[in-house]
Amino acid sequence: MDNCILELKKLFCCCAPINELKQLLQKIKEKEDGVISIDIQKKIVANTVNNILIKEYPIKYSYQRAFMKLLISQLEQNGDEIDDDVFVAYGNIVSLPEKDIHYRHFLQENGDLQYITIQESVNIISKGTTGLCVWQGALHLATWCLKNRSKFLGKSILELGCGVGLTGLSIINTCSPKRYIFSDCHENVLDMLCENIRFNLLSLQERISIDARLSKDRSKLHIKYSDTDVKVVELKWEDINKYTNEDSTVHDVIIGADILYESSSFYSLLSGLNLLLKPTNCAIIAATIRNEDTLNKFLSQLGEHSLTYLECDISEQSMFIESSQTPVKILQIFKKTEIV
């Protein structure tokens, strides 16, 4: 039963689809001979809405209310006695106003259990960008990287269009790269990204010290975490030529998640990849397939930039809970000379 409670906590903390939590509650009921006891109810509440992590860094209140309504509904349908803690917990959140910013907590199971806490916008589109929330491709890419950690161990990595930072933080925590550069082009995204990096990689005292130094430009962040040199840069894809002129580092891996959604950006992205890729390195891109034609258009243009690709196997995904059933492909892109 404790494993079921832990799985419920994992689902709840990252705001997995409510239907997945419903299935898990039904599984708990089956394990308890058709009754969710008062003791189990207390454990459920303690590990979800009353979890200290959720209290301090709350996920969407609308999501918390939806879960508590589901729990109460399941108990009523089953005719179970409902514990007072359930009603009190629901009463405490029933009228809380939604905030513009909320948190999601993603559990990494890499020996020790560790959460990556991501601050993100409540709205998919906010402040003129879609980069202020975690996208499905980032979840898949983080999982793929964990399963292929040898590709990142001790390597230099550049992430394009990093958004709020989930993939990069996961790689830094589990794959121990030598250097990790987060890049994005939107000021508000970079601000939130820096908040997430500081929160997950620095102690409170270190955060206070860095905040003081970055008071005038919060997007310029350069820290050392364990064995990894971590840096944030503002980078537009059309400016990659300027970037490579200023920094001649040949990155071992260039990564990107959900950056293939707008075909008008393909030329600048592919031109940039052509500059960044050498016969000795590769790019790994996670693409959520919302429109097959858009992906095909990207793939058809690879050859014009002396690039080619392989599709990676992502048959086993378990590290993070996915937010949608939309298919995701992970592409490994090379200079044409890399594939014989």
Side-chain angles (χ1 to χ4, degrees), residues 15 26 40 51 59 91 95 152 160 164 197-198 226 317 321:
C15 301
Q26 291 171 345
I40 295 299
N51 178 358
I59 62 177
S95 61
F152 307 95
L160 302 176
V164 291
I197 293 172
R198 283 192 287 267
S226 188
Q317 298 290 314
I321 301 300

Side-chain angles (χ1 to χ4, degrees), residues 110 140-152 170 174-175 313-320:
N110 182 37
H140 276 271
L141 186 55
T143 300
W144 188 90
C145 292
L146 175 60
K147 292 178 180 295
N148 295 274
R149 59 169 61 89
S150 61
K151 294 181 181 293
F152 307 95
S170 171
T174 61
C175 303
D313 179 20
I314 57 171
S315 57
E316 295 182 11
Q317 298 290 314
S318 61
M319 177 179 167
F320 294 120

Side-chain angles (χ1 to χ4, degrees), residues 3-121:
N3 287 338
C4 288
I5 298 296
L6 177 61
E7 185 67 16
L8 185 68
K9 178 181 178 181
K10 176 182 175 182
L11 288 165
F12 180 83
C13 286
C14 70
C15 301
I18 285 291
N19 190 53
E20 293 187 25
L21 279 75
K22 181 178 181 180
Q23 293 174 14
L24 192 51
L25 287 174
Q26 291 171 345
K27 183 178 179 180
I28 290 172
K29 182 175 70 174
E30 291 169 4
K31 284 181 174 290
E32 290 289 293
D33 296 324
V35 177
I36 300 180
S37 66
I38 293 295
D39 181 56
I40 295 299
Q41 291 176 41
K42 287 182 181 296
K43 288 183 178 179
I44 289 173
V45 172
N47 281 276
T48 55
V49 293
N50 283 350
N51 178 358
I52 188 169
L53 186 63
I54 299 299
K55 287 287 190 181
E56 194 164 356
Y57 305 103
I59 62 177
K60 288 181 182 179
Y61 290 125
S62 59
Y63 184 89
Q64 296 188 52
R65 287 193 289 271
F67 171 72
M68 291 306 298
K69 285 180 180 179
L70 169 66
L71 176 59
I72 291 170
S73 172
Q74 292 288 299
L75 294 171
E76 288 177 339
Q77 288 177 19
N78 201 42
D80 295 334
E81 179 186 356
I82 302 178
D83 184 55
D84 288 345
D85 286 357
V86 174
F87 289 119
V88 171
Y90 179 64
N92 288 338
I93 60 174
V94 69
S95 61
L96 291 175
E98 204 67 82
K99 298 179 179 179
D100 292 337
I101 299 298
H102 69 275
Y103 297 86
R104 292 171 72 188
H105 311 280
F106 299 88
L107 183 64
Q108 288 187 303
E109 299 177 60
N110 182 37
D112 297 329
L113 298 180
Q114 181 181 6
Y115 282 97
I116 294 177
T117 293
I118 296 293
Q119 181 182 159
E120 65 175 12
S121 171

Side-chain angles (χ1 to χ4, degrees), residues 267-279:
Y267 180 81
S268 58
L269 174 58
L270 287 166
S271 297
L273 286 175
N274 188 40
L275 292 169
L276 292 165
L277 290 174
K278 310 297 178 185

